[in-house]
Amino acid sequence: MNDDSAEFKPNRLLVQTAAIFVDAYRELNAKRLFWIVLVISNLIAAGFGAVGINREGIVIFWKTFPNDFFNTTTLDRAEIYKWMFSQLGIDWWLTFIATILALVSTAGIFPEFLSGGAVDLYLSKPIGRPRLFLTKYITGLIFVALQVLVFCIGSFFVIGLRGGVWEPAIFVAVPFVLLFFSYLFAIMVLIGVLTRSTIAALLLTILCWVGTFAFHQTEVLLLNLSTGKQFEMQMYDGEISRDQQIISHLVAGGAHAPDGDTTRPVTAEDRQLQIAQLNLTQAQKDRADDSDPFASWHRLMFALTYPLPKTTETVALIRRELGERMHIRREDREEEQDRPQQNGGMFQNRQLMRRAGMETQRILATRSTTYILGTSLGFEAVMVGLAAWIFCRRDF
């Protein structure tokens, strides 16, 4: 009798959990938006296949638009489709438009469950609240995972059939996009449990998304300004060192700065020495007046963004992972060292601003996957933990 009971209990738990999954999936499946997003995903993947290139130019469906740059003599056909998936498919569809549609689709999971009376029916059965909460939460993630998987499957066949290259690495996007969505979904679930309002959960989640984006952009801007100031100070140090070397060389050659003595002829070297001394004085003054006021502000902003979900950086991480695994070529940037030196401070010196921008992007690219995903998942764990605690403690 005891053996039968012990055997029955885990089976019953599995059956109950499976039933909750099926019921939650049916609710999502019954919504038209689920199928609308699915159809749009397939249409966008098919749209990639409708665009191509040949020796003459760009091909859209069966019509060729001649172009001297976009053709198979200058570009690889497979690279075009990889680029479209990475830039358009990831940046614009999966992590922006499709994410908004997925938030709309899943926003009502908990508010409708709590306010519609369905929770009373579930709680009347021997089902633990933590298991009920996690099952509902995971169902929302499965909904999004199916959408991303369908899009990746369609893109996989488009790249293979039209580009001539089969790239299984394309499916790396599925877990990464799912992680990206889960940050926002965790916020929406917490707000939904607190307010029991679908509209409030959706709008406040989008507002939080915009807020994290604004915080990230502010941190990047301050990093760029601080980096530019560091380059500016290095430029002044270089000018001081260069002027000192010129002065030493001229003095060693017998040059004297003009001192008003009209009996002594002024040579070209004397004039050069005078100019070098004036340049040195100005460079020393500029260096003494220069500082980096943005460094402390950047450290503060970095500390504020540290515990927040890294939505923008996760998207960049997805592109980086796909670029490495799918061997997508990056645009080669012109080396700044080959350009003639320019004068002026950071805001008057375009070369200095370009160098600062390139260095900022390099610093961002060196931020590890552990930092980006670890801090984001830590934030998600806190949000889900709070939502689960409220769900388990509240009287319904």
Side-chain angles (χ1 to χ4, degrees):
M1 183 71 178
N2 292 336
D3 292 341
D4 292 342
S5 299
E7 213 174 286
F8 173 72
K9 189 173 181 180
N11 289 337
R12 183 178 64 184
L13 291 175
L14 291 175
V15 171
Q16 289 176 344
T17 303
I20 297 172
F21 269 120
V22 171
D23 183 62
Y25 176 75
R26 284 174 178 171
E27 291 180 9
L28 290 173
N29 192 34
K31 297 181 178 180
R32 292 182 179 179
L33 194 57
F34 175 88
W35 295 104
I36 291 174
V37 176
L38 201 65
V39 170
I40 295 175
S41 293
N42 283 289
L43 288 176
I44 292 177
F48 290 161
V51 179
I53 58 174
N54 57 24
R55 293 183 62 85
E56 297 179 5
I58 303 173
V59 180
I60 300 179
F61 290 104
W62 298 276
K63 184 173 179 58
T64 300
F65 298 89
N67 191 290
D68 294 333
F69 178 75
F70 291 99
N71 56 65
T72 53
T73 61
T74 58
L75 298 172
D76 181 69
R77 182 179 284 108
E79 288 291 331
I80 292 294
Y81 291 105
K82 292 179 184 180
W83 179 87
M84 284 194 295
F85 176 79
S86 176
Q87 299 294 323
L88 304 179
I90 297 296
D91 285 7
W92 288 100
W93 176 242
L94 290 180
T95 59
F96 184 58
I97 300 175
T99 295
I100 294 176
L101 295 177
L103 289 173
V104 174
S105 301
T106 57
I109 291 180
F110 281 91
E112 293 173 5
F113 182 64
L114 297 177
S115 60
V119 66
D120 297 326
L121 178 62
Y122 278 101
L123 295 179
S124 64
K125 301 177 182 179
I127 300 174
R129 288 194 179 194
R131 181 157 57 97
L132 179 59
F133 174 85
L134 290 177
T135 304
K136 284 284 186 181
Y137 182 79
I138 294 172
T139 302
L141 297 180
I142 292 176
F143 166 84
V144 176
L146 289 174
Q147 301 287 353
V148 179
L149 182 61
V150 167
F151 179 77
C152 288
I153 291 174
S155 300
F156 173 75
F157 282 103
V158 167
I159 294 175
L161 296 174
R162 293 281 285 163
V165 177
W166 299 96
E167 287 286 357
I170 200 173
F171 294 102
V172 171
V174 178
F176 278 106
V177 174
L178 185 60
L179 282 172
F180 167 82
F181 175 80
S182 69
Y183 311 154
L184 303 174
F185 187 56
I187 299 172
M188 189 166 66
V189 168
L190 175 59
I191 298 173
V193 172
L194 284 172
T195 64
R196 301 190 188 186
S197 169
T198 300
I199 298 298
L202 177 61
L203 294 181
L204 290 176
T205 299
I206 293 177
L207 183 63
C208 290
W209 186 8
V210 174
T212 58
F213 174 79
F215 267 74
H216 172 75
Q217 293 302 114
T218 303
E219 189 255 327
V220 172
L221 175 62
L222 290 172
L223 175 61
N224 185 53
L225 292 174
S226 178
T227 303
K229 276 295 182 181
Q230 294 294 328
F231 282 143
E232 184 178 280
M233 289 186 287
Q234 292 175 14
M235 180 189 70
Y236 288 138
D237 289 337
E239 289 180 1
I240 291 172
S241 177
R242 187 166 55 252
D243 290 336
Q244 287 174 339
Q245 290 177 1
I246 293 173
I247 291 171
S248 299
H249 176 73
L250 291 172
V251 170
H256 296 276
D259 54 4
D261 184 4
T262 57
T263 62
R264 180 182 177 276
V266 178
T267 64
E269 288 76 12
D270 294 340
R271 293 296 184 190
Q272 291 177 8
L273 179 60
Q274 183 183 34
I275 293 172
Q277 290 174 337
L278 292 174
N279 290 339
L280 176 61
T281 301
Q282 183 62 45
Q284 289 174 334
K285 180 180 181 301
D286 292 338
R287 180 63 180 87
D289 295 340
D290 204 5
S291 62
D292 182 10
F294 305 107
S296 57
W297 287 104
H298 172 255
R299 286 193 294 269
L300 174 62
M301 185 56 64
F302 182 80
L304 292 175
T305 58
Y306 188 87
L308 298 179
K310 310 300 185 293
T311 52
T312 306
E313 291 176 280
T314 300
V315 175
L317 179 62
I318 297 172
R319 283 202 310 269
R320 192 167 71 206
E321 288 292 323
L322 288 174
E324 292 175 357
R325 295 171 185 269
M326 297 174 63
H327 307 291
I328 301 175
R329 291 185 302 176
R330 296 182 180 180
E331 182 182 356
D332 295 330
R333 293 182 178 270
E334 186 177 358
E335 292 293 334
E336 295 294 334
Q337 291 81 354
D338 296 336
R339 294 177 177 269
Q341 294 292 325
Q342 297 177 354
N343 296 321
M346 180 177 65
F347 298 107
Q348 293 82 32
N349 191 329
R350 293 184 179 180
Q351 177 185 347
L352 206 60
M353 295 179 67
R354 281 193 294 267
R355 286 184 60 200
M358 292 172 64
E359 179 64 15
T360 299
Q361 294 304 315
R362 188 195 66 79
I363 293 173
L364 294 176
T366 58
R367 291 181 178 176
S368 67
T369 303
T370 303
Y371 160 73
I372 296 172
L373 298 185
T375 54
S376 300
L377 289 175
F379 174 88
E380 181 179 350
V382 172
M383 294 295 103
V384 174
L386 285 174
W389 182 78
I390 295 170
F391 182 86
C392 295
R393 298 273 300 190
R394 176 176 287 179
D395 293 330
F396 297 109

